Amino acid sequence: MVNRPPPQQVRSASTAGAWFVDDKRFYQYSYASLKELEHVVQEVRSQWTKPLGASIKQAEAPPFLWELARKRDRLSDSVKVFSAMSVEAFLNFYGVVRLEQNYFDNHVEKLGPVPKLKRLFALCEGKALTDSEPIVIVLSRIAARRNRLVHPRTVEVASSAVSGIGDRIPEIAREAIADMDAFFVEFGRLDPDVQHHLPSPTDRSA
């Protein structure tokens, strides 16, 4: 275990100041990508040349359908990435507001999402978050979903088992949005003073 010095001060979440932060921009991107994804999924399904759920190889698909399916996949990945980025950006913002830039950057910023969350609440609120806390559970899912994208693994499968491999689209993207929203709800419940900084439904569009 690394021994870290305590912060010199812990500021209120309502501390006045100015910060450059991207959580609400990524929050908006998440919803915009999901909205576009829902339309593209319907278009792909209407053009699919096999029973829904069956895979199509690139050589079997008309070029326009292959490109449309790739757009669907890209939008689904965008939702997962931007929703995770919104959460991570907010965590970093909260840490800087409460602990000041220098301490946060040197002692907290490089932690993974879940350890960072636990560290922040221990330092700022004197709360020891356990793995059974709803916010920890939902953040663990967000982090795992993000890690599968940014640290891609290769999985060997039998050629006969290709169908059904991969994400359920758009369900996986809807789950990513739901987890993002649940995270912010739980965060506001644990620290009500930060409510005015949290993304809200009015932030879902430009």
Side-chain angles (χ1 to χ4, degrees), residues 1-7 103 106-108 111 119 123:
M1 175 179 290
V2 177
N3 291 320
R4 297 183 177 90
Y103 182 88
N106 287 313
H107 302 292
V108 182
L111 296 174
R119 182 72 173 158
L123 290 173

Side-chain angles (χ1 to χ4, degrees), residues 130-190:
T130 68
D131 289 341
S132 62
E133 289 276 357
I135 194 170
V136 175
I137 293 171
V138 76
L139 182 57
S140 296
R141 287 201 301 264
I142 292 169
R145 194 181 291 119
R146 169 196 174 278
N147 289 343
R148 285 193 293 271
L149 276 175
V150 299
H151 304 293
R153 296 177 63 242
T154 297
V155 179
E156 186 172 2
V157 297
S159 58
S160 59
V162 171
S163 292
I165 298 294
D167 285 342
R168 296 170 294 107
I169 300 175
E171 290 82 3
I172 190 70
R174 293 171 183 162
E175 291 167 7
I177 290 284
D179 281 346
M180 174 181 68
D181 285 338
F183 171 85
F184 289 126
V185 168
E186 286 299 316
F187 208 108
R189 181 182 66 81
L190 289 168

